[in-house]
Amino acid sequence: MLVYPSGVDVSSSTLRFLEQQLRRHRRAIGSRWRRLSAGRQALLTLAHLRMGHTYAQLDAGFGIGTTTAHRYVAEAVELLAALAPGLTDTVRTASAKAYLILDGTLLPIDRIAADRPFYSGKHRKHGMNVQIIADPFGRLLWASPALPGAVHDIRAAREHRIVDALAEAGTPCWADKAYRGAGGTVRTPCWGRWETLSAGHQAVNRSHAKIQAVVEQAVATLKSWRLLRKLRCSTTRITSLVQAVLTLHLTSY
């Protein structure tokens, strides 16, 4: 395999943050020697998450075996995932904002047609359902654990108790028609075909669509980490990967 210089488009502060967490972890477990320093392990992890480099590519670039690369990445991901904010804390912190925006996205996975629980009829592909909460400016605040792609958005929101958390905090939340009937403080568009809606309901839906549209910035933020654009790992690891990415994103503010 050919090796060439490349770059990772993340801030140096993000690299330093992850390096500090790895150093602290190594001291806690009494690790004396590693093939890579904490800084190089941090860079290895960012290259995997941000650029989507495979373990074979990391092996060639960092001069370590694929097994070691996998172990180093898994260690860093678990550390980052443990630091991700919980739903209750996120909603409580964001309660001062005028409102929040809720939406779901599908993270594509490599599954065959027989894996029906992971097939999303809406997106017509296999994947994992992740719920996202954004602020009025489209900034990503929270991402949920991953559920199979066949799970509908409103069911996912209920399983994660998102509606309950928003209601307890009294925080208004805008969501699309997939969350119709959610209740609480979740606001959805007026139901019905466009041509059958009154002029007032059409105006409400136009205003709602403008507010809801900015959540796509949060979705794009999540998927700017290229590993999440096409996941080829076990579905049991996807939640940790999403939470790790969320932690890195929030530390970059």
Side-chain angles (χ1 to χ4, degrees):
M1 184 178 294
L2 299 176
V3 179
Y4 67 97
S6 184
V8 182
D9 55 342
V10 297
S11 65
S12 57
S13 61
T14 301
L15 177 64
R16 289 194 300 270
F17 169 79
L18 180 52
E19 180 180 359
Q20 290 170 0
Q21 297 302 318
L22 290 169
R23 288 184 186 279
R24 189 176 296 116
H25 174 68
R26 291 185 180 189
R27 287 195 299 268
I29 64 175
S31 179
R32 297 184 178 180
W33 182 85
R34 298 285 188 97
R35 290 287 303 276
L36 296 180
S37 66
R40 295 286 286 173
Q41 183 181 357
L43 183 59
L44 172 91
T45 303
L46 292 176
H48 179 65
L49 296 176
R50 187 71 175 184
M51 310 305 295
H53 291 332
T54 65
Y55 295 120
Q57 290 172 317
L58 296 174
D59 169 18
F62 287 83
I64 57 176
T66 55
T67 302
T68 303
H70 180 277
R71 187 172 66 252
Y72 279 2
V73 169
E75 180 182 46
V77 165
E78 291 303 319
L79 285 175
L80 292 169
L83 297 174
L87 174 61
T88 303
D89 292 337
T90 299
V91 173
R92 185 186 302 115
T93 302
S95 60
K97 299 182 183 296
Y99 58 88
L100 297 177
I101 308 174
L102 172 64
D103 199 9
T105 188
L106 189 81
L107 301 181
I109 59 175
D110 58 342
R111 287 295 182 271
I112 61 175
D115 294 321
R116 298 300 299 176
F118 300 98
Y119 184 79
S120 169
K122 175 182 177 181
H123 299 275
R124 298 185 179 182
K125 63 177 68 172
H126 293 82
M128 300 294 285
N129 180 305
V130 173
Q131 298 295 297
I132 287 175
I133 292 179
D135 70 6
F137 300 98
R139 291 189 289 252
L140 176 64
L141 300 179
W142 181 80
S144 74
L147 292 174
V151 176
H152 196 272
D153 282 340
I154 189 171
R155 177 184 163 191
R158 286 170 174 162
E159 287 197 20
H160 298 310
R161 298 185 60 81
I162 298 173
V163 178
D164 293 340
L166 292 168
E168 290 172 6
T171 305
C173 179
W174 264 250
D176 61 25
K177 61 184 179 180
Y179 298 89
R180 179 171 176 260
T185 58
V186 177
R187 303 177 183 180
T188 57
C190 298
W191 186 256
R193 297 177 63 85
W194 181 260
E195 59 271 15
T196 64
L197 294 175
S198 66
H201 285 172
Q202 288 180 356
V204 168
N205 281 5
R206 288 194 194 96
S207 176
H208 192 287
K210 290 179 181 178
I211 294 173
Q212 182 71 25
V214 300
V215 77
E216 294 303 325
Q217 298 177 33
V219 174
T221 295
L222 189 67
K223 293 186 177 180
S224 66
W225 297 79
R226 294 172 182 81
L227 183 70
L228 301 182
R229 296 179 187 176
K230 183 67 174 182
L231 290 155
R232 295 177 174 82
C233 61
S234 168
T235 55
T236 59
R237 294 189 59 232
I238 295 176
T239 291
S240 294
L241 290 170
V242 171
Q243 298 300 304
V245 166
L246 176 63
T247 298
L248 290 171
H249 166 68
L250 293 176
T251 58
S252 66
Y253 278 162

